[in-house]
Coordinates of all heavy atoms in Angstrom, one line a residue:
I28 N -11.9 -15.1 -11.2 CA -10.5 -15.2 -11.8 C -10.5 -14.7 -13.2 O -9.6 -14.0 -13.6 CB -10.1 -16.7 -11.8 CG1 -9.8 -17.2 -10.3 CG2 -8.7 -16.9 -12.6 CD1 -9.5 -18.6 -10.1
S29 N -11.6 -15.1 -14.0 CA -11.6 -14.7 -15.4 C -11.8 -13.2 -15.5 O -11.2 -12.5 -16.4 CB -12.8 -15.4 -16.1 OG -12.6 -16.8 -16.3
S30 N -12.5 -12.6 -14.6 CA -12.7 -11.1 -14.5 C -11.4 -10.4 -14.3 O -11.0 -9.5 -14.9 CB -13.8 -10.7 -13.6 OG -13.9 -9.3 -13.4
F31 N -10.7 -11.0 -13.3 CA -9.3 -10.5 -12.9 C -8.4 -10.5 -14.0 O -7.7 -9.6 -14.4 CB -8.8 -11.2 -11.7 CG -7.6 -10.7 -11.1 CD1 -7.6 -10.0 -9.9 CD2 -6.3 -10.9 -11.7 CE1 -6.4 -9.5 -9.4 CE2 -5.2 -10.4 -11.1 CZ -5.2 -9.6 -10.0
I32 N -8.4 -11.7 -14.8 CA -7.4 -11.8 -15.9 C -7.8 -10.9 -17.0 O -6.8 -10.2 -17.6 CB -7.6 -13.3 -16.4 CG1 -6.9 -14.3 -15.4 CG2 -6.9 -13.4 -17.8 CD1 -7.1 -15.7 -15.8
K33 N -9.0 -10.6 -17.3 CA -9.4 -9.7 -18.3 C -8.9 -8.3 -17.9 O -8.4 -7.5 -18.8 CB -10.9 -9.7 -18.5 CG -11.4 -8.8 -19.7 CD -10.8 -9.4 -21.0 CE -11.4 -8.6 -22.3 NZ -10.8 -9.1 -23.5
S34 N -9.1 -7.9 -16.6 CA -8.7 -6.6 -16.2 C -7.1 -6.4 -16.3 O -6.6 -5.3 -16.7 CB -9.2 -6.3 -14.8 OG -10.5 -6.3 -14.7
L35 N -6.4 -7.5 -15.9 CA -5.0 -7.5 -16.0 C -4.5 -7.4 -17.5 O -3.5 -6.7 -17.8 CB -4.4 -8.8 -15.4 CG -2.9 -9.0 -15.4 CD1 -2.2 -7.8 -14.7 CD2 -2.5 -10.3 -14.7
S36 N -5.2 -8.1 -18.4 CA -4.8 -7.9 -19.8 C -4.9 -6.6 -20.3 O -4.1 -6.1 -21.1 CB -5.6 -8.9 -20.6 OG -7.0 -8.5 -20.8
E37 N -6.0 -5.9 -19.8 CA -6.1 -4.4 -20.2 C -4.9 -3.6 -19.7 O -4.4 -2.7 -20.4 CB -7.5 -3.9 -19.6 CG -8.7 -4.5 -20.2 CD -8.9 -4.3 -21.7 OE1 -8.3 -3.4 -22.3 OE2 -9.5 -5.1 -22.3
G38 N -4.5 -3.9 -18.5 CA -3.3 -3.2 -18.0 C -2.0 -3.4 -18.8 O -1.2 -2.5 -19.0
I39 N -1.9 -4.6 -19.2 CA -0.7 -5.1 -20.0 C -0.8 -4.4 -21.4 O 0.3 -3.9 -21.8 CB -0.6 -6.6 -20.1 CG1 -0.3 -7.3 -18.7 CG2 0.5 -7.0 -21.2 CD1 -0.4 -8.8 -18.7
K40 N -1.9 -4.4 -21.9 CA -2.1 -3.7 -23.2 C -1.8 -2.1 -23.1 O -1.2 -1.6 -23.9 CB -3.5 -3.8 -23.7 CG -3.9 -5.2 -24.3 CD -5.4 -5.3 -24.6 CE -5.7 -6.7 -24.9 NZ -7.3 -6.8 -25.2
A41 N -2.2 -1.6 -22.0 CA -2.0 -0.2 -21.7 C -0.6 0.2 -21.6 O -0.1 1.3 -21.9 CB -2.8 0.3 -20.4
D42 N 0.2 -0.9 -21.3 CA 1.7 -0.7 -21.1 C 2.4 -0.9 -22.5 O 3.6 -0.9 -22.6 CB 2.3 -1.6 -20.1 CG 2.1 -1.1 -18.7 OD1 1.7 0.1 -18.5 OD2 2.3 -1.8 -17.7

Side-chain angles (χ1 to χ4, degrees):
I28 293 172
S29 292
S30 175
F31 186 103
I32 289 176
K33 187 63 175 178
S34 298
L35 180 57
S36 76
E37 295 297 335
I39 293 172
K40 289 175 186 175
D42 280 349

